[in-house]
Amino acid sequence: MELPTEQHETTMPRDRFCLTKWYMDCLEPEGRTAIAYWATCSWHGLRLVWHDLTVHRPDGSRYERASRRAVPPPTMRDGVLAWASPALDASIHGTSRCVPRAVCLLDGGGRDVEWCCEAAAGDMVIHHRDGAPLHGTGYVERLTLRV
């Protein structure tokens, strides 16, 4: 079962619980890394969005920002990732080097879990408030649970 991410909440009955989580990361050759999440839960017309960006520096220090402000989910079209969060003052852009792979992990009884590796390896750029943009190799996945 494949639904475009932007339509999950609008195409489902309001009484079904839906959780969608995006995970994105980037590793620079110099050692800085970044991990970003975007997630939403919806149930009975209620909707909660959460997103987070953490940048780890080679010296062990880190920069982290999180928000519950509603921002659109990441988009992945023709191998190109785009996501921006004004609340975090951050954006992520990437190009996948691989074909995406989606697998339905559970499908039955009104429940389903879909995992999609959107980019097993990609060229990523992460802009953020705390320093120079990260440029490196990254990974992107999306997980959706409907009950």
Side-chain angles (χ1 to χ4, degrees), residues 6-90:
E6 296 82 6
Q7 296 179 10
H8 282 244
E9 287 85 24
T10 59
T11 59
M12 289 182 34
R14 289 172 47 107
D15 62 340
R16 278 190 82 188
F17 173 84
C18 180
L19 168 69
T20 300
K21 177 210 54 119
W22 283 77
Y23 168 90
M24 301 158 279
D25 69 22
C26 178
L27 170 63
E28 286 187 319
E30 298 79 24
R32 280 193 312 165
T33 61
I35 297 173
Y37 290 96
W38 179 93
T40 185
C41 293
S42 59
W43 183 61
H44 284 281
L46 301 173
R47 184 170 184 253
L48 173 68
V49 174
W50 174 82
H51 47 291
D52 177 272
L53 172 67
T54 304
V55 177
H56 298 271
R57 298 178 194 98
D59 67 5
S61 63
R62 72 176 188 217
Y63 165 80
E64 183 171 13
R65 295 213 36 175
S67 176
R68 290 188 310 263
R69 289 188 188 156
V71 298
T75 58
M76 193 74 171
R77 289 190 176 79
D78 299 321
V80 176
L81 170 74
W83 182 65
S85 169
L88 303 182
D89 196 15

Side-chain angles (χ1 to χ4, degrees), residues 109-128:
R111 301 179 198 107
D112 58 89
V113 177
E114 180 186 18
W115 171 79
C116 184
C117 178
E118 299 281 2
D123 300 310
M124 308 293 282
V125 178
I126 300 180
H127 293 270
H128 59 97

Side-chain angles (χ1 to χ4, degrees), residues 76-112:
M76 193 74 171
R77 289 190 176 79
D78 299 321
V80 176
L81 170 74
W83 182 65
S85 169
L88 303 182
D89 196 15
S91 65
I92 301 176
H93 299 278
T95 304
S96 179
R97 298 181 205 157
C98 309
V99 175
R101 174 80 174 137
V103 176
C104 189
L105 302 175
L106 172 69
D107 190 1
R111 301 179 198 107
D112 58 89

